Amino acid sequence: MLVALTGVLVLVVFAAGLVVLRPGPVAAWLGDDAGSRPTPVVDPPDPAPGPVLGALDGTAPIPSEAGLTTAIGKLVTDNDLGGRASVVVRDVVTGNVIYANQGDVPTVPASTMKLVTAAAVLATRGPAHRIPTRVVAGPNPGEVILVGGGDPTLAASGKTFYPGAARLDKLAAATKKALGSTAPTKVYYDSSLFSGPVYEPGWDSDIPTGGFGGPSTALTIDGARTTPKQLDNGYSERFSKPDVAAAKAFAKALGVAGTPAPAPKGSVPAGPSAAPTSPTGSIDPGTELARVESPPMVRLVEYMLVDSDNVIAEAMARQVALAKGKPASYVGARAAMTEVVGELGLKADGLVLADGSGLSRTDRLTPELQTALLALAASGKRPELTEMFAGLPVAQWTGTLGERFGEANDRKAAAGIVRAKTGTLTGNHAMAGVVTTVDGRLLAFSVLTDGVTASSDTTRGALDRIAATLARCGCR
């Protein structure tokens, strides 16, 4: 057990977030079995400097229920947390719940839903899986079809929002090489891998234009952002039709004039053609000409969690659907993820999945489920799930916790110690993650609130006080 926990809790900083230093064949996890496909164009991951957080003592004292009740009981019932706070604290090593307040009450999780999405996609796709974006030959010589595989991080060029993303300019160069002496004349696009509505019906009406979410399409660039620049407040204007925008960027890189058109029905095969050319030397329609591939799934999950990226979350949910043989839609994704939760042996009482991001107000889960999931991921029993910790924001260090826990004396103890996913919808605030006590014991915790009327800053402060108290007390 101690070895597993050490692998989880030694972190280093990447340019785009965090990654876990883990035992085992990391290089193999980040590799790719290309088979007979065209060689994908893939950028290597960014280098990493030294360690940030150290290993744990697996024999450290366990907090008691009485000690936790004394330490956080009044904080849990604080009016700033609204009409109800559902809370569970679980010891990671034993898996036992050591404190609960309405821990079995299904509550809107907001963005802490992404923990379920992360676990489901890592369990089904694996940490090394890469999402392809392909180009196949069109109906006539010189015509090509850009085929979206669901990579939300795809970039138009080296000016990317996501470091290490696959790039359309490199895909265009590889396509020209595959065409040989045949000049490209027309670009079609195919984004049919994802089906159904591009927005979940349970989302608030302002989400499509609110800058923190976008349409869920199988072909997109920079998470549907109109510009790859990172804005200070996290807001980014999004394309209403990301597949059209991506196709235009590809056509520009390919040097093809004119507006790209949807691919003719039936013109895109499910996979690469068995033979790249016909006996006459011409390229058969449907033949795969080139592909680029996303960073490995471990990086995509990292991007999703560290900055609570909603577009990536919905793309990851659809990857779960595809892995389970279901339609890549909201309906297919929720059915697939619910199935995976059961396969992981987790108690799913009260679980209602509407989406992968947690933007829907019809999502429901319990702190019992969240903490059980975190404990399973940290246990080493499912090594692929440990990758979740790579993207969890660290208090006063990274992502959505980068500006929290740094000022008030009652919260400073958590800086660099709490690693958690946050969630915010109007009336609902949440935090779920892991924390090391002053005695060195690793705990999983989840706090889900409902009926909040206080300001967001006030409620976040109340959540932070609970996590910071867990960090600074032995609670025995």
Side-chain angles (χ1 to χ4, degrees):
M1 180 64 68
L2 179 57
V3 173
L5 292 177
T6 300
V8 168
L9 294 163
V10 179
L11 303 185
V12 295
V13 178
F14 265 129
L18 299 176
V19 67
V20 179
L21 288 179
R22 63 193 74 76
V26 178
W29 280 18
L30 299 181
D32 181 55
D33 181 10
S36 59
R37 302 183 311 229
T39 302
V41 181
V42 180
D43 287 335
D46 301 323
V52 176
L53 299 175
L56 297 177
D57 178 5
T59 63
I62 305 174
S64 69
E65 181 179 3
L68 287 168
T69 300
T70 300
I72 67 172
K74 290 184 179 180
L75 298 177
V76 167
T77 58
D78 192 315
N79 289 336
D80 291 338
L81 294 181
R84 183 181 71 232
S86 301
V87 182
V88 165
V89 180
R90 187 184 298 266
D91 178 57
V92 166
V93 175
T94 64
N96 295 333
V97 172
I98 52 179
Y99 175 87
N101 180 78
Q102 303 187 86
D104 60 351
V105 176
T107 307
V108 176
S111 279
T112 63
M113 176 61 78
K114 293 181 177 73
L115 294 173
V116 177
T117 305
V121 76
L122 288 170
T124 53
R125 285 303 201 195
H129 181 76
R130 298 176 187 263
I131 303 173
T133 302
R134 304 185 295 132
V135 175
V136 302
N140 301 300
E143 297 180 346
V144 298
I145 304 173
L146 176 65
V147 184
D151 176 8
T153 65
L154 182 68
S157 66
K159 296 180 179 179
T160 67
F161 185 86
Y162 304 100
R167 293 165 46 178
L168 288 175
D169 57 349
K170 292 188 175 183
L171 183 61
T175 300
K176 289 180 182 179
K177 183 176 180 180
L179 288 172
S181 60
T182 302
T185 58
K186 185 174 181 60
V187 171
Y188 294 96
Y189 63 92
D190 183 287
S191 58
S192 63
L193 183 65
F194 289 3
S195 57
V198 297
Y199 298 109
E200 209 286 319
W203 288 3
D204 289 351
S205 60
D206 62 344
I207 288 176
T209 58
F212 294 95
S216 297
T217 59
L219 181 61
T220 188
I221 49 176
D222 294 312
R225 293 171 178 83
T226 59
T227 174
K229 294 180 180 179
Q230 173 68 62
L231 303 181
D232 290 340
N233 61 1
Y235 171 90
S236 296
E237 185 177 351
R238 313 284 173 149
F239 289 113
S240 60
K241 295 182 178 180
D243 49 358
V244 175
K248 288 180 178 178
F250 179 69
K252 181 179 179 180
L254 200 60
V256 174
T259 302
K265 188 174 182 179
S267 61
V268 179
S273 171
T277 60
S278 71
T280 62
S282 62
I283 300 175
D284 291 336
T287 298
E288 183 173 318
L289 301 174
R291 66 165 55 197
V292 290
E293 297 187 344
S294 72
M297 192 61 64
V298 56
R299 292 298 299 274
L300 300 186
V301 168
E302 186 180 340
Y303 295 148
M304 173 183 71
L305 292 176
V306 73
D307 286 320
S308 199
D309 194 305
N310 295 308
V311 172
I312 291 184
E314 298 307 335
M316 296 298 94
R318 281 161 176 73
Q319 288 298 314
V320 180
L322 292 169
K324 301 299 288 183
K326 300 183 186 301
S329 63
Y330 285 104
V331 173
R334 68 178 64 123
M337 290 203 298
T338 301
E339 181 179 329
V340 173
V341 168
E343 291 172 350
L344 290 173
L346 299 170
K347 185 178 178 181
D349 293 356
L351 176 65
V352 178
L353 296 176
D355 59 17
S357 62
L359 288 173
S360 177
R361 292 187 179 275
T362 59
D363 287 321
R364 294 289 187 280
L365 55 73
T366 67
E368 284 190 355
L369 172 60
Q370 280 192 324
T371 55
L373 175 59
L374 288 161
L376 175 63
S379 71
K381 295 176 182 177
R382 294 294 298 258
E384 70 277 18
L385 299 189
T386 66
E387 303 301 340
M388 292 171 54
F389 295 97
L392 284 184
V394 177
Q396 193 57 26
W397 190 266
T398 57
T400 55
L401 290 184
E403 301 300 321
R404 291 167 67 166
F405 294 97
E407 295 180 1
N409 288 331
D410 60 353
R411 282 163 264 172
K412 285 183 178 181
I417 303 300
V418 169
R419 187 177 300 103
K421 183 72 198 74
T422 58
T424 303
L425 291 172
T426 302
N428 297 94
H429 291 260
M431 181 184 291
V434 292
V435 57
T436 309
T437 71
V438 70
D439 292 328
R441 195 76 185 187
L442 180 66
L443 308 177
F445 71 95
S446 170
V447 185
L448 306 181
T449 67
D450 195 11
V452 174
T453 57
S455 70
S456 292
D457 287 344
T458 298
T459 303
R460 287 171 183 153
L463 290 171
D464 293 354
R465 278 190 289 275
I466 293 174
T469 301
L470 293 174
R472 69 171 181 261
C473 85
C475 301
R476 287 180 280 148

mmCIF file of all heavy atoms in Angstrom, residues 80-120:
data_model
loop_
_atom_site.group_PDB
_atom_site.id
_atom_site.type_symbol
_atom_site.label_atom_id
_atom_site.label_comp_id
_atom_site.label_asym_id
_atom_site.label_seq_id
_atom_site.Cartn_x
_atom_site.Cartn_y
_atom_site.Cartn_z
ATOM 1 N N ASP A 80 -22.866 29.778 5.560
ATOM 2 C CA ASP A 80 -22.288 30.141 4.264
ATOM 3 C C ASP A 80 -22.311 28.980 3.277
ATOM 4 O O ASP A 80 -22.107 29.165 2.070
ATOM 5 C CB ASP A 80 -20.843 30.617 4.441
ATOM 6 C CG ASP A 80 -20.770 31.957 5.157
ATOM 7 O OD1 ASP A 80 -21.778 32.692 5.149
ATOM 8 O OD2 ASP A 80 -19.708 32.266 5.727
ATOM 9 N N LEU A 81 -22.530 27.760 3.772
ATOM 10 C CA LEU A 81 -22.621 26.587 2.899
ATOM 11 C C LEU A 81 -24.050 26.295 2.472
ATOM 12 O O LEU A 81 -24.313 25.268 1.826
ATOM 13 C CB LEU A 81 -22.016 25.359 3.583
ATOM 14 C CG LEU A 81 -20.504 25.426 3.830
ATOM 15 C CD1 LEU A 81 -20.020 24.142 4.484
ATOM 16 C CD2 LEU A 81 -19.749 25.677 2.536
ATOM 17 N N GLY A 82 -25.007 27.169 2.812
ATOM 18 C CA GLY A 82 -26.360 27.032 2.316
ATOM 19 C C GLY A 82 -27.238 26.130 3.139
ATOM 20 O O GLY A 82 -26.971 25.832 4.304
ATOM 21 N N GLY A 83 -28.305 25.658 2.496
ATOM 22 C CA GLY A 83 -29.304 24.879 3.200
ATOM 23 C C GLY A 83 -28.870 23.474 3.532
ATOM 24 O O GLY A 83 -29.429 22.848 4.435
ATOM 25 N N ARG A 84 -27.888 22.938 2.815
ATOM 26 C CA ARG A 84 -27.435 21.585 3.102
ATOM 27 C C ARG A 84 -26.002 21.412 2.638
ATOM 28 O O ARG A 84 -25.637 21.823 1.541
ATOM 29 C CB ARG A 84 -28.308 20.553 2.382
ATOM 30 C CG ARG A 84 -27.924 19.111 2.716
ATOM 31 C CD ARG A 84 -28.781 18.086 1.988
ATOM 32 N NE ARG A 84 -28.480 18.034 0.565
ATOM 33 C CZ ARG A 84 -29.361 18.132 -0.407
ATOM 34 N NH1 ARG A 84 -30.632 18.330 -0.092
ATOM 35 N NH2 ARG A 84 -29.015 18.064 -1.670
ATOM 36 N N ALA A 85 -25.204 20.785 3.477
ATOM 37 C CA ALA A 85 -23.848 20.398 3.090
ATOM 38 C C ALA A 85 -23.720 18.898 3.288
ATOM 39 O O ALA A 85 -23.882 18.393 4.400
ATOM 40 C CB ALA A 85 -22.813 21.142 3.920
ATOM 41 N N SER A 86 -23.463 18.190 2.207
ATOM 42 C CA SER A 86 -23.248 16.742 2.269
ATOM 43 C C SER A 86 -21.748 16.505 2.287
ATOM 44 O O SER A 86 -21.033 16.918 1.358
ATOM 45 C CB SER A 86 -23.883 16.060 1.062
ATOM 46 O OG SER A 86 -25.274 16.316 1.011
ATOM 47 N N VAL A 87 -21.261 15.845 3.337
ATOM 48 C CA VAL A 87 -19.815 15.756 3.554
ATOM 49 C C VAL A 87 -19.425 14.332 3.925
ATOM 50 O O VAL A 87 -20.111 13.674 4.716
ATOM 51 C CB VAL A 87 -19.362 16.712 4.683
ATOM 52 C CG1 VAL A 87 -17.850 16.653 4.867
ATOM 53 C CG2 VAL A 87 -19.823 18.136 4.404
ATOM 54 N N VAL A 88 -18.323 13.871 3.371
ATOM 55 C CA VAL A 88 -17.718 12.599 3.770
ATOM 56 C C VAL A 88 -16.211 12.779 3.826
ATOM 57 O O VAL A 88 -15.619 13.418 2.940
ATOM 58 C CB VAL A 88 -18.070 11.453 2.805
ATOM 59 C CG1 VAL A 88 -17.154 10.243 3.026
ATOM 60 C CG2 VAL A 88 -19.517 11.026 2.985
ATOM 61 N N VAL A 89 -15.589 12.247 4.882
ATOM 62 C CA VAL A 89 -14.134 12.136 4.968
ATOM 63 C C VAL A 89 -13.819 10.646 5.082
ATOM 64 O O VAL A 89 -14.379 9.956 5.926
ATOM 65 C CB VAL A 89 -13.570 12.901 6.181
ATOM 66 C CG1 VAL A 89 -12.045 12.749 6.237
ATOM 67 C CG2 VAL A 89 -13.970 14.373 6.123
ATOM 68 N N ARG A 90 -12.921 10.167 4.221
ATOM 69 C CA ARG A 90 -12.616 8.739 4.161
ATOM 70 C C ARG A 90 -11.107 8.531 4.279
ATOM 71 O O ARG A 90 -10.316 9.246 3.642
ATOM 72 C CB ARG A 90 -13.120 8.164 2.834
ATOM 73 C CG ARG A 90 -13.012 6.640 2.705
ATOM 74 C CD ARG A 90 -13.446 6.191 1.312
ATOM 75 N NE ARG A 90 -14.837 6.503 1.027
ATOM 76 C CZ ARG A 90 -15.859 5.680 1.210
ATOM 77 N NH1 ARG A 90 -15.635 4.467 1.705
ATOM 78 N NH2 ARG A 90 -17.091 6.047 0.896
ATOM 79 N N ASP A 91 -10.707 7.553 5.091
ATOM 80 C CA ASP A 91 -9.301 7.187 5.162
ATOM 81 C C ASP A 91 -8.935 6.402 3.907
ATOM 82 O O ASP A 91 -9.594 5.415 3.561
ATOM 83 C CB ASP A 91 -9.043 6.344 6.406
ATOM 84 C CG ASP A 91 -7.599 5.890 6.493
ATOM 85 O OD1 ASP A 91 -6.710 6.756 6.486
ATOM 86 O OD2 ASP A 91 -7.377 4.666 6.550
ATOM 87 N N VAL A 92 -7.899 6.838 3.205
ATOM 88 C CA VAL A 92 -7.554 6.227 1.935
ATOM 89 C C VAL A 92 -6.998 4.812 2.105
ATOM 90 O O VAL A 92 -7.326 3.904 1.341
ATOM 91 C CB VAL A 92 -6.559 7.120 1.159
ATOM 92 C CG1 VAL A 92 -5.930 6.362 -0.003
ATOM 93 C CG2 VAL A 92 -7.266 8.366 0.651
ATOM 94 N N VAL A 93 -6.151 4.601 3.097
ATOM 95 C CA VAL A 93 -5.500 3.300 3.253
ATOM 96 C C VAL A 93 -6.508 2.199 3.577
ATOM 97 O O VAL A 93 -6.520 1.136 2.960
ATOM 98 C CB VAL A 93 -4.410 3.359 4.337
ATOM 99 C CG1 VAL A 93 -3.832 1.973 4.589
ATOM 100 C CG2 VAL A 93 -3.294 4.304 3.904
ATOM 101 N N THR A 94 -7.386 2.452 4.550
ATOM 102 C CA THR A 94 -8.360 1.433 4.936
ATOM 103 C C THR A 94 -9.615 1.468 4.082
ATOM 104 O O THR A 94 -10.345 0.478 3.998
ATOM 105 C CB THR A 94 -8.775 1.612 6.404
ATOM 106 O OG1 THR A 94 -9.456 2.880 6.553
ATOM 107 C CG2 THR A 94 -7.558 1.576 7.315
ATOM 108 N N GLY A 95 -9.902 2.613 3.471
ATOM 109 C CA GLY A 95 -11.132 2.779 2.717
ATOM 110 C C GLY A 95 -12.333 3.089 3.575
ATOM 111 O O GLY A 95 -13.449 3.230 3.060
ATOM 112 N N ASN A 96 -12.145 3.240 4.886
ATOM 113 C CA ASN A 96 -13.265 3.445 5.799
ATOM 114 C C ASN A 96 -13.688 4.908 5.858
ATOM 115 O O ASN A 96 -12.842 5.814 5.859
ATOM 116 C CB ASN A 96 -12.891 2.990 7.215
ATOM 117 C CG ASN A 96 -12.649 1.497 7.292
ATOM 118 O OD1 ASN A 96 -13.194 0.722 6.504
ATOM 119 N ND2 ASN A 96 -11.821 1.081 8.241
ATOM 120 N N VAL A 97 -15.004 5.125 5.934
ATOM 121 C CA VAL A 97 -15.531 6.466 6.182
ATOM 122 C C VAL A 97 -15.312 6.793 7.650
ATOM 123 O O VAL A 97 -15.711 6.026 8.537
ATOM 124 C CB VAL A 97 -17.029 6.544 5.838
ATOM 125 C CG1 VAL A 97 -17.614 7.885 6.285
ATOM 126 C CG2 VAL A 97 -17.243 6.344 4.341
ATOM 127 N N ILE A 98 -14.665 7.922 7.926
ATOM 128 C CA ILE A 98 -14.380 8.286 9.313
ATOM 129 C C ILE A 98 -15.152 9.532 9.759
ATOM 130 O O ILE A 98 -15.107 9.904 10.927
ATOM 131 C CB ILE A 98 -12.866 8.473 9.558
ATOM 132 C CG1 ILE A 98 -12.262 9.440 8.531
ATOM 133 C CG2 ILE A 98 -12.153 7.134 9.483
ATOM 134 C CD1 ILE A 98 -10.770 9.688 8.734
ATOM 135 N N TYR A 99 -15.862 10.159 8.833
ATOM 136 C CA TYR A 99 -16.765 11.252 9.180
ATOM 137 C C TYR A 99 -17.788 11.376 8.056
ATOM 138 O O TYR A 99 -17.436 11.273 6.869
ATOM 139 C CB TYR A 99 -16.024 12.581 9.339
ATOM 140 C CG TYR A 99 -16.963 13.746 9.582
ATOM 141 C CD1 TYR A 99 -17.386 14.076 10.867
ATOM 142 C CD2 TYR A 99 -17.453 14.500 8.519
ATOM 143 C CE1 TYR A 99 -18.269 15.126 11.088
ATOM 144 C CE2 TYR A 99 -18.337 15.550 8.731
ATOM 145 C CZ TYR A 99 -18.746 15.861 10.012
ATOM 146 O OH TYR A 99 -19.624 16.893 10.228
ATOM 147 N N ALA A 100 -19.038 11.613 8.421
ATOM 148 C CA ALA A 100 -20.082 11.823 7.416
ATOM 149 C C ALA A 100 -21.158 12.737 7.962
ATOM 150 O O ALA A 100 -21.534 12.652 9.136
ATOM 151 C CB ALA A 100 -20.699 10.493 6.982
ATOM 152 N N ASN A 101 -21.620 13.622 7.110
ATOM 153 C CA ASN A 101 -22.781 14.453 7.398
ATOM 154 C C ASN A 101 -23.643 14.435 6.137
ATOM 155 O O ASN A 101 -23.303 15.058 5.140
ATOM 156 C CB ASN A 101 -22.364 15.889 7.738
ATOM 157 C CG ASN A 101 -23.556 16.786 8.051
ATOM 158 O OD1 ASN A 101 -24.111 16.720 9.140
ATOM 159 N ND2 ASN A 101 -23.965 17.605 7.087
ATOM 160 N N GLN A 102 -24.721 13.667 6.175
ATOM 161 C CA GLN A 102 -25.571 13.489 5.001
ATOM 162 C C GLN A 102 -24.759 13.025 3.791
ATOM 163 O O GLN A 102 -24.986 13.451 2.666
ATOM 164 C CB GLN A 102 -26.328 14.778 4.679
ATOM 165 C CG GLN A 102 -27.176 15.302 5.836
ATOM 166 C CD GLN A 102 -28.034 16.483 5.436
ATOM 167 O OE1 GLN A 102 -29.134 16.320 4.935
ATOM 168 N NE2 GLN A 102 -27.515 17.681 5.672
ATOM 169 N N GLY A 103 -23.825 12.142 4.065
ATOM 170 C CA GLY A 103 -22.917 11.704 3.006
ATOM 171 C C GLY A 103 -23.546 10.855 1.941
ATOM 172 O O GLY A 103 -22.962 10.672 0.862
ATOM 173 N N ASP A 104 -24.758 10.324 2.208
ATOM 174 C CA ASP A 104 -25.436 9.499 1.213
ATOM 175 C C ASP A 104 -26.529 10.254 0.469
ATOM 176 O O ASP A 104 -27.337 9.653 -0.240
ATOM 177 C CB ASP A 104 -26.033 8.260 1.884
ATOM 178 C CG ASP A 104 -27.044 8.603 2.975
ATOM 179 O OD1 ASP A 104 -27.164 9.796 3.329
ATOM 180 O OD2 ASP A 104 -27.708 7.674 3.469
ATOM 181 N N VAL A 105 -26.559 11.581 0.616
ATOM 182 C CA VAL A 105 -27.591 12.393 -0.038
ATOM 183 C C VAL A 105 -27.119 12.800 -1.441
ATOM 184 O O VAL A 105 -26.111 13.505 -1.572
ATOM 185 C CB VAL A 105 -27.904 13.660 0.786
ATOM 186 C CG1 VAL A 105 -28.900 14.543 0.051
ATOM 187 C CG2 VAL A 105 -28.445 13.273 2.160
ATOM 188 N N PRO A 106 -27.811 12.384 -2.499
ATOM 189 C CA PRO A 106 -27.428 12.797 -3.854
ATOM 190 C C PRO A 106 -27.558 14.315 -4.010
ATOM 191 O O PRO A 106 -28.588 14.897 -3.661
ATOM 192 C CB PRO A 106 -28.424 12.056 -4.755
ATOM 193 C CG PRO A 106 -28.932 10.923 -3.920
ATOM 194 C CD PRO A 106 -28.960 11.445 -2.515
ATOM 195 N N THR A 107 -26.519 14.943 -4.502
ATOM 196 C CA THR A 107 -26.455 16.395 -4.597
ATOM 197 C C THR A 107 -25.853 16.794 -5.936
ATOM 198 O O THR A 107 -25.087 16.043 -6.532
ATOM 199 C CB THR A 107 -25.589 16.967 -3.450
ATOM 200 O OG1 THR A 107 -26.074 16.463 -2.195
ATOM 201 C CG2 THR A 107 -25.630 18.481 -3.414
ATOM 202 N N VAL A 108 -26.195 17.992 -6.407
ATOM 203 C CA VAL A 108 -25.598 18.513 -7.641
ATOM 204 C C VAL A 108 -24.092 18.659 -7.421
ATOM 205 O O VAL A 108 -23.667 19.398 -6.527
ATOM 206 C CB VAL A 108 -26.212 19.875 -8.012
ATOM 207 C CG1 VAL A 108 -25.521 20.448 -9.246
ATOM 208 C CG2 VAL A 108 -27.714 19.739 -8.269
ATOM 209 N N PRO A 109 -23.265 17.985 -8.217
ATOM 210 C CA PRO A 109 -21.823 18.018 -7.962
ATOM 211 C C PRO A 109 -21.081 19.155 -8.629
ATOM 212 O O PRO A 109 -19.920 19.389 -8.340
ATOM 213 C CB PRO A 109 -21.357 16.680 -8.534
ATOM 214 C CG PRO A 109 -22.301 16.444 -9.672
ATOM 215 C CD PRO A 109 -23.633 17.011 -9.245
ATOM 216 N N ALA A 110 -21.760 19.861 -9.574
ATOM 217 C CA ALA A 110 -21.078 20.849 -10.407
ATOM 218 C C ALA A 110 -19.833 20.209 -11.030
ATOM 219 O O ALA A 110 -19.862 19.036 -11.397
ATOM 220 C CB ALA A 110 -20.762 22.110 -9.606
ATOM 221 N N SER A 111 -18.739 20.922 -11.097
ATOM 222 C CA SER A 111 -17.579 20.407 -11.832
ATOM 223 C C SER A 111 -16.831 19.279 -11.144
ATOM 224 O O SER A 111 -15.930 18.688 -11.742
ATOM 225 C CB SER A 111 -16.604 21.547 -12.145
ATOM 226 O OG SER A 111 -17.045 22.269 -13.274
ATOM 227 N N THR A 112 -17.175 18.965 -9.896
ATOM 228 C CA THR A 112 -16.552 17.785 -9.303
ATOM 229 C C THR A 112 -17.023 16.505 -9.998
ATOM 230 O O THR A 112 -16.457 15.432 -9.768
ATOM 231 C CB THR A 112 -16.830 17.690 -7.786
ATOM 232 O OG1 THR A 112 -18.231 17.539 -7.556
ATOM 233 C CG2 THR A 112 -16.305 18.914 -7.065
ATOM 234 N N MET A 113 -18.040 16.614 -10.858
ATOM 235 C CA MET A 113 -18.444 15.486 -11.702
ATOM 236 C C MET A 113 -17.285 15.010 -12.576
ATOM 237 O O MET A 113 -17.213 13.845 -12.973
ATOM 238 C CB MET A 113 -19.623 15.901 -12.581
ATOM 239 C CG MET A 113 -20.074 14.827 -13.579
ATOM 240 S SD MET A 113 -20.634 13.312 -12.787
ATOM 241 C CE MET A 113 -22.258 13.827 -12.261
ATOM 242 N N LYS A 114 -16.350 15.906 -12.867
ATOM 243 C CA LYS A 114 -15.229 15.555 -13.736
ATOM 244 C C LYS A 114 -14.348 14.451 -13.135
ATOM 245 O O LYS A 114 -13.588 13.812 -13.872
ATOM 246 C CB LYS A 114 -14.395 16.798 -14.044
ATOM 247 C CG LYS A 114 -15.123 17.840 -14.900
ATOM 248 C CD LYS A 114 -14.231 19.037 -15.187
ATOM 249 C CE LYS A 114 -14.919 20.049 -16.095
ATOM 250 N NZ LYS A 114 -15.982 20.800 -15.418
ATOM 251 N N LEU A 115 -14.424 14.237 -11.828
ATOM 252 C CA LEU A 115 -13.697 13.122 -11.229
ATOM 253 C C LEU A 115 -14.223 11.790 -11.754
ATOM 254 O O LEU A 115 -13.457 10.859 -12.030
ATOM 255 C CB LEU A 115 -13.811 13.169 -9.705
ATOM 256 C CG LEU A 115 -13.136 14.347 -8.996
ATOM 257 C CD1 LEU A 115 -13.487 14.342 -7.524
ATOM 258 C CD2 LEU A 115 -11.631 14.304 -9.197
ATOM 259 N N VAL A 116 -15.543 11.685 -11.893
ATOM 260 C CA VAL A 116 -16.147 10.472 -12.444
ATOM 261 C C VAL A 116 -15.750 10.316 -13.905
ATOM 262 O O VAL A 116 -15.407 9.217 -14.361
ATOM 263 C CB VAL A 116 -17.681 10.516 -12.294
ATOM 264 C CG1 VAL A 116 -18.325 9.291 -12.944
ATOM 265 C CG2 VAL A 116 -18.077 10.607 -10.825
ATOM 266 N N THR A 117 -15.785 11.412 -14.643
ATOM 267 C CA THR A 117 -15.409 11.371 -16.053
ATOM 268 C C THR A 117 -13.960 10.938 -16.221
ATOM 269 O O THR A 117 -13.636 10.112 -17.084
ATOM 270 C CB THR A 117 -15.618 12.757 -16.693
ATOM 271 O OG1 THR A 117 -16.971 13.171 -16.485
ATOM 272 C CG2 THR A 117 -15.322 12.726 -18.182
ATOM 273 N N ALA A 118 -13.079 11.481 -15.385
ATOM 274 C CA ALA A 118 -11.660 11.125 -15.457
ATOM 275 C C ALA A 118 -11.456 9.641 -15.201
ATOM 276 O O ALA A 118 -10.738 8.955 -15.939
ATOM 277 C CB ALA A 118 -10.864 11.947 -14.443
ATOM 278 N N ALA A 119 -12.090 9.127 -14.159
ATOM 279 C CA ALA A 119 -11.939 7.714 -13.830
ATOM 280 C C ALA A 119 -12.489 6.827 -14.937
ATOM 281 O O ALA A 119 -11.880 5.818 -15.309
ATOM 282 C CB ALA A 119 -12.640 7.408 -12.506
ATOM 283 N N ALA A 120 -13.642 7.204 -15.479
ATOM 284 C CA ALA A 120 -14.281 6.384 -16.503
ATOM 285 C C ALA A 120 -13.451 6.314 -17.777
ATOM 286 O O ALA A 120 -13.291 5.249 -18.379
ATOM 287 C CB ALA A 120 -15.681 6.926 -16.802
#
